[in-house]
Every structure is written in structure tokens, then in C-alpha cells.
Amino acid sequence: MKLQRKNMLRASALGALVVSGALVLTACGSDDNTKTADGSAKPSAAAAGDIKCDGAKGKLLASGSSAQKNAVELWIKNYMAACSGVEVNYKSSSSGEGIVAFNQGTVGFAGSDSALKPEQVEESKKICTGGQGINLPMVGGPVALGFNIAGVDKLNLDAATVANIFNDKIKKWDDEAIKKLNPGVTLPSTAIQAFHRSDDSGTTENVTKYLKAAAPDAWPHEAAKKWAAPGGQAASGSAGVAAQVKQVDGAIGYFELSFASSQGIKTVDLNTGAAAPVKATGENASKAISAAKIAGTGSDLALKLDYTTKAEGAYPLVLVTYEVVCDKGNKAETLPTVKSFLNYTASDAGQKVLLENGYAPIPAEINTKVREAINSLG
């Protein structure tokens, strides 16, 4: 696609970014003039106006987490429109594959929904000459619990009840534990159909971290990317789980909020102990991420999330994806592009893209440190 000049971008429709988000989240098109020749949404003029290319050139390869796929695609579209002659290519695969590619030196950065493990950091030193791989939190988001119960439009659950549902202990929707959390709601005796991921998944890891932390008595399994609880039914990928929930009466499953938004799937409000149950929204996820502590040292900003927060309006079932880069020892030919691109993603404009598309911006106090770390890359 031929890159547009900045002054042409300013002539784009004011709602270009909103249209872009709708295309990503719903896969529905329209016949207006906010699309390019290939049918994709035009970049946002406002977002592109804040991009500083700063010597970026050539081709930058990256790969990893599929959880951030929609966000990264929007970022790339805006960035490439602003920086003529630069190509950024992100292969959405998995966090594990992204880290492998990073430690093999085949990508400029990797996306991962879990921080580097000590052995991965050690391995990265072979590629990051004089340095090592670090974790830069860039994309936050709520993991929604989507449900499909005929006649039920609103559902409150707490961590222990969610754990018992997915642990095959609660089998009917009119179970007393669920009724207690939903006074005034007529719940059917429909059998619960719980769906989980069949593939190893960072989303599964974050869900099980939440259950292990917030309901340890009800969730005896270790947090892991591979589903360990008995019972339930498996589906491939978040898209597969969402498709099953949408189709099956009595179903419940977990997936990133964008999958619920795009398919009109109702989502659970979590009873966290706050004054009111909390909805799964980008804003509420950001509030929960604000309670995270930085577990990394130096320019490594790996986070320790607080899945037990009871802060008002904080949705604790969250996922954070990191961009994994070398703090020192980056390849000279790609370093300017890595810094330029990541400076955009961490900018106010870049983070605004997240909120407008079902993700959660990284809280300002953490994001300030992310920007400092990006500027210090060598």
C-alpha cells in the first residue's frame, strides 16, 4: 500500500480511528470513504501527527503475543503512514514463539503476555551484546468472562464462584452460590457449559493466576498456560472459545474483551469486595493495573499484578503484554526504528488507541518509566 503524506492524512475523516477500531473488532465493513483501496481502515491523522520518525528506516521485524495483535496492527498502520520508507512487520503467533525469535536474534522486539523468565534473560545476553532482554509493559486489557444464558442479561460472580464453575464443582446456573450473588435475577436450571483454551495460552495463565490469588481455597491448581482443571470443554484460541460461548446456551468462557465486543457476547461483572461489582472495561482494567508493583530492576519493568485488589471500579482479571527488547546491544540498523516505533506506542496518542479499541492503557505512573527505558535503549 502506497504510503500517504502527512498533509493528506489530515484530510482523512475525523472518525478514521473509530472506524479502524470497528473494523478490527467486528470485521464488518462499510461503503464509506474511510477505507483504503485494500478495504482496511485509513490511519488516524491525529495519532500519526504525534509520531517522531527520528531516523527510522528500512524494515523492522517483530513477533509474539496474539493478545496484542489488534493494537499492534493499528499502531503499525498509523506509524507507517507517518514514517515514509519504514516497514514494520509484526507476526502474531504466541508469546513463546516471539521470545524464541527474539533470543535467536531474528526480530527487533518480541511481544509477550508474560515477563521473561530468568533462563530466558540469561539466554538473551548472547544476542544483546553487553546487555540483556528487558520487559516493557505496553498493552493492558481485561480478560472477559463471557456468558450465554437464555433470559439472563446481567450476571455477577466472585472469584470463588468462578473457580468452582471452571473446576467442575458448580454445575447448574441456579446453584445457590450464584443465586446469592444475583438477587432479583431469575436463573434457569440450565447446565453450565464451561469452555477453556485447548492450546497453551497466556490468557489462560492470567486467568489461573487470578483464580489462584483471589480464590486459593477453590482453585487448587497452579497458574499455568496449560489448562489443568477437570471437566469443561476445550476450544482453540480466544476466537474458538468465544464462538462456542456465543452458540451454546448455558455457556461461559474467557477471552479478551474485544472478542466479546465484536460478537455481542454478554460479560460477567466481578464481585471483588468493592462497593459494587465491576464491569470488564478498558478503564476499569487500567485501574487494576495501577495497583501493580514493578518487579523488575533497572530498566526492566516487569510487573507484579494485584489480582486481589478491592479498589472501587478496578477490574482485577487483567492481562498485560510486554514488548521485549535489548537494553543494550541492539542491532545498529534497527535500533532507531525500534526506539521510534516504541516511543509512539508508549505516547499519549499511542495509548489512546488502546482505550478506543477495547484494551487498557498502561497507567501513567508506569508508562512514564516505560518512556524513559525506551529512550535509554542502546
Side-chain angles (χ1 to χ4, degrees), residues 174-259:
D174 62 352
D175 187 277
E176 288 301 320
I178 301 177
K179 289 167 66 174
K180 185 177 179 180
L181 293 165
N182 294 274
V185 177
T186 301
L187 292 162
S189 60
T190 307
I192 294 174
Q193 307 288 337
F195 287 91
H196 58 264
R197 291 279 289 270
S198 60
D199 49 328
D200 289 4
S201 158
T203 308
T204 295
E205 184 175 26
N206 280 275
V207 169
T208 54
K209 281 181 177 178
Y210 163 72
L211 294 175
K212 187 68 174 176
D217 293 338
W219 191 258
H221 317 287
E222 291 302 316
K225 292 185 177 182
K226 185 175 182 63
W227 187 259
Q233 301 175 62
S236 178
S238 290
V241 174
Q244 291 299 316
V245 171
K246 186 173 178 64
Q247 294 169 12
V248 177
D249 184 27
I252 186 171
Y254 59 87
F255 31 79
E256 291 76 24
L257 180 61
S258 61
F259 290 91

Coordinates of all heavy atoms in Angstrom, one line a residue, residues 174-259:
D174 N -28.7 -22.2 38.4 CA -29.4 -21.8 39.5 C -28.9 -22.3 40.9 O -29.6 -22.4 41.9 CB -30.9 -22.3 39.4 CG -31.1 -23.8 39.3 OD1 -30.0 -24.5 39.2 OD2 -32.2 -24.2 39.4
D175 N -27.6 -22.6 40.9 CA -26.9 -23.0 42.1 C -27.0 -21.9 43.1 O -27.0 -20.7 42.8 CB -25.4 -23.3 41.8 CG -24.7 -23.9 43.0 OD1 -24.2 -23.1 43.8 OD2 -24.5 -25.1 43.0
E176 N -27.1 -22.3 44.4 CA -27.3 -21.3 45.4 C -26.2 -20.3 45.5 O -26.5 -19.1 45.8 CB -27.5 -22.0 46.8 CG -28.8 -22.7 47.0 CD -30.0 -21.8 46.9 OE1 -29.9 -20.7 47.4 OE2 -31.0 -22.2 46.2
A177 N -25.0 -20.7 45.2 CA -23.9 -19.7 45.3 C -24.0 -18.6 44.3 O -23.7 -17.5 44.5 CB -22.6 -20.5 45.1
I178 N -24.6 -19.0 43.1 CA -24.8 -18.0 42.0 C -26.0 -17.1 42.3 O -26.0 -15.9 42.2 CB -24.9 -18.7 40.6 CG1 -23.7 -19.5 40.3 CG2 -25.2 -17.6 39.6 CD1 -23.7 -20.3 39.0
K179 N -27.0 -17.8 42.8 CA -28.3 -17.0 43.2 C -28.0 -16.0 44.2 O -28.5 -14.8 44.2 CB -29.3 -18.0 43.6 CG -29.9 -18.8 42.5 CD -30.8 -20.0 43.0 CE -32.0 -19.5 43.7 NZ -32.9 -20.7 44.1
K180 N -27.1 -16.3 45.2 CA -26.8 -15.4 46.3 C -26.2 -14.1 45.8 O -26.3 -13.0 46.3 CB -25.9 -16.1 47.3 CG -25.6 -15.3 48.5 CD -24.7 -16.0 49.5 CE -24.4 -15.2 50.7 NZ -23.6 -16.0 51.7
L181 N -25.4 -14.2 44.7 CA -24.7 -13.1 44.1 C -25.5 -12.3 43.1 O -25.1 -11.2 42.7 CB -23.4 -13.6 43.4 CG -22.3 -14.2 44.3 CD1 -21.3 -14.9 43.4 CD2 -21.6 -13.1 45.0
N182 N -26.7 -12.8 42.8 CA -27.6 -12.2 41.8 C -29.0 -12.1 42.3 O -30.0 -12.7 41.7 CB -27.5 -13.0 40.5 CG -26.2 -13.0 39.9 OD1 -25.9 -12.1 39.1 ND2 -25.4 -14.0 40.2
P183 N -29.3 -11.4 43.4 CA -30.6 -11.2 44.0 C -31.5 -10.5 42.9 O -31.1 -9.6 42.3 CB -30.4 -10.3 45.2 CG -29.1 -9.6 45.0 CD -28.3 -10.6 44.2
G184 N -32.7 -11.1 42.8 CA -33.7 -10.5 41.9 C -33.6 -11.0 40.5 O -34.4 -10.7 39.6
V185 N -32.6 -11.8 40.2 CA -32.4 -12.3 38.8 C -32.9 -13.8 38.8 O -32.6 -14.6 39.7 CB -30.9 -12.4 38.4 CG1 -30.7 -13.0 37.1 CG2 -30.4 -10.9 38.4
T186 N -33.8 -14.1 37.8 CA -34.3 -15.4 37.7 C -33.3 -16.2 36.9 O -33.1 -16.0 35.7 CB -35.7 -15.4 36.9 OG1 -36.6 -14.6 37.6 CG2 -36.2 -16.8 36.8
L187 N -32.7 -17.2 37.6 CA -31.6 -18.0 36.9 C -32.2 -19.4 36.6 O -32.9 -20.0 37.4 CB -30.5 -18.2 37.9 CG -29.6 -16.9 38.1 CD1 -28.8 -17.1 39.4 CD2 -28.8 -16.6 36.9
P188 N -32.0 -19.9 35.4 CA -32.6 -21.2 35.0 C -31.7 -22.3 35.6 O -30.6 -22.1 36.0 CB -32.5 -21.1 33.5 CG -31.3 -20.3 33.2 CD -31.3 -19.2 34.3
S189 N -32.3 -23.5 35.5 CA -31.6 -24.7 36.0 C -30.7 -25.3 34.9 O -30.3 -26.4 34.9 CB -32.6 -25.8 36.5 OG -33.5 -26.1 35.4
T190 N -30.5 -24.5 33.8 CA -29.6 -24.9 32.7 C -28.3 -25.4 33.2 O -27.7 -24.8 34.1 CB -29.5 -23.7 31.7 OG1 -30.7 -23.2 31.4 CG2 -28.7 -24.2 30.5
A191 N -27.8 -26.5 32.6 CA -26.5 -27.0 32.9 C -25.4 -26.0 32.4 O -25.5 -25.4 31.3 CB -26.3 -28.3 32.2
I192 N -24.4 -25.8 33.2 CA -23.3 -24.9 32.9 C -22.4 -25.6 31.9 O -21.9 -26.8 32.1 CB -22.5 -24.5 34.1 CG1 -23.4 -23.6 35.0 CG2 -21.2 -23.8 33.7 CD1 -22.7 -23.3 36.4
Q193 N -22.0 -24.9 30.8 CA -21.1 -25.4 29.8 C -19.9 -24.5 29.9 O -19.9 -23.4 29.3 CB -21.7 -25.4 28.4 CG -23.1 -26.1 28.3 CD -22.9 -27.6 28.4 OE1 -21.8 -28.2 28.1 NE2 -24.0 -28.3 28.8
A194 N -18.8 -24.9 30.6 CA -17.7 -24.1 30.8 C -16.6 -24.4 29.7 O -16.2 -25.6 29.5 CB -17.0 -24.3 32.1
F195 N -16.2 -23.4 29.0 CA -15.2 -23.5 27.9 C -13.9 -22.9 28.3 O -13.8 -21.8 28.8 CB -15.7 -22.9 26.6 CG -16.8 -23.6 26.0 CD1 -18.2 -23.3 26.3 CD2 -16.6 -24.6 25.0 CE1 -19.2 -24.1 25.7 CE2 -17.6 -25.4 24.4 CZ -18.9 -25.1 24.8
H196 N -12.8 -23.6 28.0 CA -11.4 -23.1 28.3 C -10.6 -23.3 27.0 O -11.0 -24.0 26.1 CB -10.8 -23.8 29.5 CG -10.7 -25.3 29.3 ND1 -11.7 -26.2 29.8 CD2 -9.8 -26.1 28.7 CE1 -11.4 -27.4 29.5 NE2 -10.3 -27.4 28.8
R197 N -9.4 -22.8 27.0 CA -8.5 -22.9 25.9 C -7.9 -24.3 25.8 O -7.5 -24.9 26.8 CB -7.4 -21.9 26.0 CG -7.8 -20.5 25.8 CD -8.0 -20.1 24.4 NE -6.7 -20.0 23.7 CZ -6.0 -18.8 23.6 NH1 -6.4 -17.7 24.2 NH2 -4.8 -18.8 23.0
S198 N -7.8 -24.8 24.6 CA -7.2 -26.1 24.3 C -5.7 -26.0 24.2 O -4.9 -26.9 24.4 CB -7.8 -26.8 23.1 OG -7.6 -26.0 21.9
D199 N -5.3 -24.8 23.7 CA -3.8 -24.5 23.4 C -3.2 -23.9 24.6 O -3.9 -23.3 25.5 CB -3.7 -23.7 22.2 CG -4.6 -22.4 22.2 OD1 -5.7 -22.5 22.8 OD2 -4.2 -21.4 21.7
D200 N -1.9 -24.0 24.8 CA -1.2 -23.2 25.8 C -1.4 -21.7 25.5 O -1.1 -21.3 24.4 CB 0.3 -23.6 25.8 CG 0.5 -25.0 26.3 OD1 -0.4 -25.7 26.6 OD2 1.7 -25.4 26.4
S201 N -1.7 -21.0 26.6 CA -2.2 -19.7 26.4 C -1.8 -18.7 27.5 O -2.0 -19.1 28.7 CB -3.7 -19.7 26.2 OG -4.3 -18.4 26.5
G202 N -1.3 -17.5 27.2 CA -1.0 -16.5 28.2 C -2.3 -16.1 28.8 O -2.4 -15.7 30.0
T203 N -3.4 -16.1 28.0 CA -4.7 -15.7 28.6 C -5.1 -16.7 29.7 O -5.5 -16.3 30.8 CB -5.8 -15.7 27.5 OG1 -5.4 -14.9 26.4 CG2 -7.1 -15.1 28.0
T204 N -4.9 -18.0 29.4 CA -5.2 -19.0 30.5 C -4.3 -18.8 31.7 O -4.7 -18.9 32.8 CB -4.9 -20.4 29.9 OG1 -5.9 -20.7 28.9 CG2 -5.0 -21.5 31.0
E205 N -3.0 -18.4 31.5 CA -2.1 -18.2 32.6 C -2.6 -17.1 33.5 O -2.6 -17.1 34.7 CB -0.7 -17.9 32.1 CG 0.3 -17.7 33.2 CD 1.7 -17.6 32.6 OE1 1.9 -17.1 31.5 OE2 2.7 -17.9 33.4
N206 N -3.1 -16.0 32.8 CA -3.6 -14.9 33.6 C -4.9 -15.2 34.3 O -5.1 -14.7 35.5 CB -3.7 -13.6 32.7 CG -2.4 -12.9 32.5 OD1 -1.9 -12.1 33.2 ND2 -1.7 -13.3 31.4
V207 N -5.7 -15.9 33.7 CA -7.0 -16.3 34.4 C -6.7 -17.2 35.6 O -7.2 -17.0 36.7 CB -7.9 -17.1 33.4 CG1 -9.0 -17.8 34.1 CG2 -8.4 -16.2 32.3
T208 N -5.7 -18.1 35.4 CA -5.4 -19.0 36.5 C -4.6 -18.3 37.6 O -4.7 -18.7 38.8 CB -4.7 -20.3 36.0 OG1 -3.5 -19.9 35.3 CG2 -5.6 -21.1 35.2
K209 N -3.8 -17.3 37.3 CA -3.2 -16.5 38.3 C -4.2 -15.8 39.1 O -4.1 -15.7 40.3 CB -2.2 -15.5 37.6 CG -0.9 -16.1 37.2 CD 0.0 -15.0 36.5 CE 1.4 -15.5 36.2 NZ 2.2 -14.4 35.5
Y210 N -5.2 -15.2 38.4 CA -6.3 -14.5 39.1 C -7.0 -15.5 40.1 O -7.2 -15.2 41.3 CB -7.3 -13.9 38.1 CG -8.6 -13.6 38.7 CD1 -8.8 -12.5 39.6 CD2 -9.8 -14.3 38.4 CE1 -10.0 -12.1 40.1 CE2 -11.0 -14.0 38.9 CZ -11.1 -12.9 39.8 OH -12.3 -12.6 40.3
L211 N -7.4 -16.7 39.6 CA -8.1 -17.6 40.4 C -7.3 -18.1 41.6 O -7.7 -18.3 42.7 CB -8.6 -18.8 39.6 CG -9.6 -18.5 38.5 CD1 -10.0 -19.7 37.7 CD2 -10.9 -17.9 39.2
K212 N -6.0 -18.4 41.4 CA -5.1 -18.8 42.4 C -4.9 -17.8 43.5 O -4.8 -18.1 44.7 CB -3.7 -19.2 41.8 CG -2.8 -19.9 42.8 CD -3.2 -21.3 43.1 CE -2.2 -22.0 44.0 NZ -2.7 -23.3 44.4
A213 N -4.8 -16.5 43.1 CA -4.6 -15.4 44.0 C -5.9 -15.0 44.8 O -5.9 -14.8 46.0 CB -4.1 -14.2 43.3
A214 N -7.0 -14.9 44.0 CA -8.2 -14.4 44.6 C -9.1 -15.5 45.2 O -10.0 -15.2 46.1 CB -9.0 -13.7 43.5
A215 N -8.9 -16.7 44.9 CA -9.8 -17.8 45.4 C -8.9 -19.1 45.6 O -9.2 -20.1 45.1 CB -10.9 -18.1 44.5
P216 N -7.9 -19.0 46.5 CA -6.9 -20.1 46.6 C -7.6 -21.4 47.2 O -7.2 -22.5 46.8 CB -5.9 -19.6 47.6 CG -6.6 -18.5 48.3 CD -7.5 -17.8 47.3
D217 N -8.6 -21.3 48.0 CA -9.2 -22.4 48.5 C -10.1 -23.2 47.5 O -10.3 -24.4 47.6 CB -10.1 -22.1 49.7 CG -9.3 -21.5 50.9 OD1 -8.1 -21.9 51.0 OD2 -9.9 -20.8 51.7
A218 N -10.6 -22.4 46.5 CA -11.4 -23.0 45.5 C -10.7 -23.4 44.3 O -11.2 -24.2 43.4 CB -12.6 -22.0 45.1
W219 N -9.4 -22.9 44.1 CA -8.6 -23.2 42.9 C -7.3 -23.9 43.4 O -6.3 -23.2 43.6 CB -8.4 -22.0 42.1 CG -7.8 -22.2 40.8 CD1 -6.5 -22.1 40.4 CD2 -8.5 -22.7 39.6 NE1 -6.3 -22.5 39.1 CE2 -7.6 -22.9 38.6 CE3 -9.8 -23.1 39.4 CZ2 -7.9 -23.3 37.3 CZ3 -10.2 -23.5 38.1 CH2 -9.2 -23.6 37.1
P220 N -7.2 -25.2 43.4 CA -6.0 -25.9 43.9 C -4.9 -26.0 42.8 O -3.8 -26.5 43.2 CB -6.6 -27.3 44.2 CG -7.7 -27.5 43.3 CD -8.3 -26.1 43.1
H221 N -5.2 -25.6 41.6 CA -4.2 -25.8 40.5 C -3.2 -24.7 40.5 O -3.5 -23.6 40.8 CB -5.0 -26.0 39.2 CG -6.2 -26.8 39.3 ND1 -6.1 -28.2 39.4 CD2 -7.5 -26.5 39.3 CE1 -7.4 -28.7 39.4 NE2 -8.2 -27.7 39.4
E222 N -2.0 -25.0 40.0 CA -1.0 -23.9 39.8 C -1.4 -23.1 38.6 O -2.0 -23.6 37.6 CB 0.4 -24.6 39.6 CG 0.9 -25.2 40.9 CD 1.0 -24.3 42.1 OE1 1.4 -23.1 41.9 OE2 0.5 -24.7 43.2
A223 N -1.0 -21.8 38.6 CA -1.2 -20.9 37.5 C -0.3 -21.4 36.4 O 0.9 -21.7 36.6 CB -0.9 -19.5 37.9
A224 N -0.8 -21.5 35.2 CA 0.0 -22.1 34.0 C -0.7 -21.7 32.7 O -1.9 -21.4 32.7 CB 0.2 -23.6 34.2
K225 N 0.1 -21.8 31.6 CA -0.5 -21.6 30.3 C -1.4 -22.8 29.8 O -2.2 -22.6 29.0 CB 0.6 -21.3 29.3 CG 1.3 -20.0 29.6 CD 2.4 -19.7 28.5 CE 3.0 -18.3 28.7 NZ 3.9 -18.0 27.6
K226 N -1.1 -23.9 30.4 CA -1.9 -25.1 30.0 C -3.0 -25.3 31.0 O -2.8 -25.3 32.2 CB -1.0 -26.3 30.0 CG -1.6 -27.6 29.5 CD -0.6 -28.7 29.3 CE -1.3 -30.0 28.8 NZ -1.8 -29.8 27.4
W227 N -4.2 -25.5 30.5 CA -5.4 -25.7 31.4 C -5.3 -27.0 32.2 O -5.0 -28.0 31.6 CB -6.7 -25.7 30.6 CG -7.9 -25.7 31.4 CD1 -8.7 -26.7 31.7 CD2 -8.5 -24.6 32.1 NE1 -9.8 -26.4 32.5 CE2 -9.6 -25.0 32.8 CE3 -8.1 -23.2 32.2 CZ2 -10.4 -24.2 33.5 CZ3 -8.9 -22.4 33.0 CH2 -10.1 -22.9 33.6
A228 N -5.5 -26.9 33.5 CA -5.3 -28.1 34.3 C -6.5 -28.6 35.0 O -6.6 -29.8 35.5 CB -4.2 -27.8 35.4
A229 N -7.6 -27.8 35.1 CA -8.8 -28.2 35.8 C -9.6 -29.3 35.1 O -9.5 -29.4 33.9 CB -9.7 -27.0 36.1
P230 N -10.3 -30.1 35.9 CA -11.1 -31.2 35.2 C -12.3 -30.6 34.6 O -12.8 -29.5 35.0 CB -11.4 -32.1 36.4 CG -11.4 -31.2 37.6 CD -10.4 -30.2 37.3
G231 N -13.0 -31.4 33.8 CA -14.3 -31.1 33.2 C -14.2 -29.9 32.2 O -13.1 -29.5 31.8
G232 N -15.3 -29.4 31.9 CA -15.4 -28.4 30.9 C -15.1 -28.8 29.5 O -14.9 -30.0 29.2
Q233 N -15.1 -27.9 28.5 CA -14.9 -28.2 27.1 C -13.8 -27.3 26.6 O -13.7 -26.2 27.0 CB -16.1 -28.1 26.3 CG -17.3 -29.0 26.8 CD -18.6 -28.7 26.1 OE1 -18.6 -28.9 24.8 NE2 -19.6 -28.3 26.8
A234 N -13.0 -27.8 25.7 CA -11.8 -27.0 25.2 C -12.1 -26.5 23.8 O -12.8 -27.2 23.0 CB -10.6 -27.9 25.2
A235 N -11.6 -25.3 23.5 CA -11.7 -24.8 22.1 C -10.4 -24.1 21.8 O -9.7 -23.6 22.7 CB -12.8 -23.8 22.0
S236 N -10.0 -24.0 20.6 CA -8.7 -23.4 20.2 C -8.8 -21.9 20.1 O -9.6 -21.4 19.3 CB -8.3 -24.0 18.8 OG -7.1 -23.5 18.4
G237 N -7.9 -21.3 20.8 CA -7.8 -19.8 20.7 C -8.9 -19.1 21.4 O -10.0 -19.6 21.6
S238 N -8.7 -17.8 21.6 CA -9.8 -17.0 22.2 C -11.0 -16.9 21.2 O -12.1 -16.9 21.6 CB -9.3 -15.6 22.4 OG -8.4 -15.6 23.5
A239 N -10.7 -16.9 19.9 CA -11.8 -16.9 18.9 C -12.6 -18.1 19.0 O -13.9 -18.1 18.9 CB -11.2 -16.7 17.5
G240 N -12.0 -19.3 19.2 CA -12.7 -20.5 19.3 C -13.6 -20.6 20.6 O -14.7 -21.0 20.5
V241 N -13.0 -20.1 21.7 CA -13.8 -20.1 22.9 C -15.0 -19.2 22.8 O -16.1 -19.5 23.2 CB -12.9 -19.7 24.1 CG1 -13.8 -19.5 25.4 CG2 -11.8 -20.7 24.4
A242 N -14.8 -18.0 22.3 CA -15.9 -17.0 22.1 C -17.0 -17.6 21.2 O -18.2 -17.4 21.4 CB -15.3 -15.7 21.5
A243 N -16.6 -18.2 20.1 CA -17.6 -18.8 19.2 C -18.4 -19.8 19.9 O -19.7 -19.9 19.7 CB -16.8 -19.5 18.0
Q244 N -17.9 -20.6 20.7 CA -18.6 -21.6 21.5 C -19.6 -21.0 22.5 O -20.7 -21.4 22.6 CB -17.7 -22.6 22.2 CG -16.9 -23.5 21.3 CD -17.8 -24.4 20.5 OE1 -18.8 -25.0 21.0 NE2 -17.5 -24.6 19.2
V245 N -19.1 -20.0 23.2 CA -20.0 -19.3 24.1 C -21.1 -18.7 23.4 O -22.3 -18.7 23.9 CB -19.2 -18.2 24.9 CG1 -20.1 -17.4 25.8 CG2 -18.1 -18.9 25.8
K246 N -20.9 -18.1 22.3 CA -22.0 -17.4 21.5 C -23.0 -18.4 21.1 O -24.2 -18.1 21.0 CB -21.4 -16.7 20.3 CG -22.4 -15.8 19.6 CD -21.8 -15.0 18.5 CE -22.8 -14.2 17.7 NZ -23.5 -13.2 18.6
Q247 N -22.6 -19.6 20.8 CA -23.5 -20.6 20.2 C -24.3 -21.5 21.2 O -25.3 -22.0 20.9 CB -22.7 -21.5 19.2 CG -22.2 -20.8 18.0 CD -21.2 -21.7 17.3 OE1 -21.1 -22.9 17.5 NE2 -20.4 -21.1 16.3
V248 N -23.7 -21.7 22.4 CA -24.2 -22.7 23.3 C -24.9 -22.0 24.5 O -24.4 -21.2 25.2 CB -23.0 -23.6 23.8 CG1 -23.5 -24.6 24.8 CG2 -22.3 -24.3 22.7
D249 N -26.2 -22.4 24.6 CA -27.0 -21.9 25.8 C -26.4 -22.5 27.1 O -26.1 -23.8 27.1 CB -28.4 -22.3 25.6 CG -29.3 -21.8 26.8 OD1 -28.9 -20.7 27.3 OD2 -30.3 -22.4 27.1
G250 N -26.2 -21.7 28.1 CA -25.6 -22.2 29.3 C -24.1 -22.1 29.4 O -23.5 -22.5 30.3
A251 N -23.5 -21.5 28.3 CA -22.0 -21.4 28.2 C -21.4 -20.3 29.0 O -22.0 -19.2 29.2 CB -21.6 -21.3 26.8
I252 N -20.2 -20.5 29.4 CA -19.3 -19.4 29.9 C -17.9 -19.7 29.5 O -17.5 -20.9 29.4 CB -19.4 -19.4 31.5 CG1 -18.6 -18.2 32.0 CG2 -19.0 -20.7 32.1 CD1 -18.8 -17.9 33.5
G253 N -17.1 -18.7 29.2 CA -15.7 -18.9 28.8 C -15.0 -17.6 29.0 O -15.5 -16.6 29.4
Y254 N -13.7 -17.6 28.8 CA -12.8 -16.5 29.0 C -12.1 -16.1 27.7 O -11.6 -17.0 27.0 CB -11.8 -16.7 30.1 CG -10.9 -17.9 29.9 CD1 -9.7 -17.7 29.2 CD2 -11.2 -19.1 30.4 CE1 -8.8 -18.8 29.1 CE2 -10.4 -20.2 30.2 CZ -9.2 -20.1 29.6 OH -8.4 -21.1 29.4
F255 N -11.9 -14.8 27.4 CA -11.3 -14.3 26.3 C -11.1 -12.8 26.4 O -11.7 -12.2 27.3 CB -12.0 -14.6 25.0 CG -13.5 -14.7 25.1 CD1 -14.3 -13.5 25.2 CD2 -14.2 -15.9 25.2 CE1 -15.6 -13.5 25.4 CE2 -15.6 -15.9 25.4 CZ -16.3 -14.8 25.5
E256 N -10.2 -12.2 25.6 CA -10.0 -10.8 25.7 C -11.3 -10.1 25.3 O -12.1 -10.5 24.6 CB -8.9 -10.4 24.7 CG -7.5 -10.8 25.1 CD -7.3 -12.3 24.8 OE1 -8.0 -12.9 23.9 OE2 -6.4 -12.9 25.5
L257 N -11.5 -8.9 25.9 CA -12.8 -8.2 25.8 C -13.2 -7.9 24.4 O -14.4 -7.9 24.0 CB -12.7 -6.8 26.6 CG -13.9 -5.9 26.6 CD1 -15.1 -6.7 27.2 CD2 -13.6 -4.6 27.3
S258 N -12.2 -7.7 23.5 CA -12.5 -7.4 22.1 C -13.3 -8.5 21.4 O -14.2 -8.2 20.6 CB -11.3 -7.1 21.3 OG -10.4 -8.2 21.3
F259 N -13.1 -9.7 21.9 CA -13.9 -10.8 21.3 C -15.4 -10.8 21.7 O -16.3 -11.1 21.0 CB -13.3 -12.2 21.7 CG -11.9 -12.4 21.0 CD1 -10.8 -12.1 21.6 CD2 -11.9 -13.1 19.8 CE1 -9.5 -12.3 21.0 CE2 -10.7 -13.3 19.2 CZ -9.5 -12.9 19.8

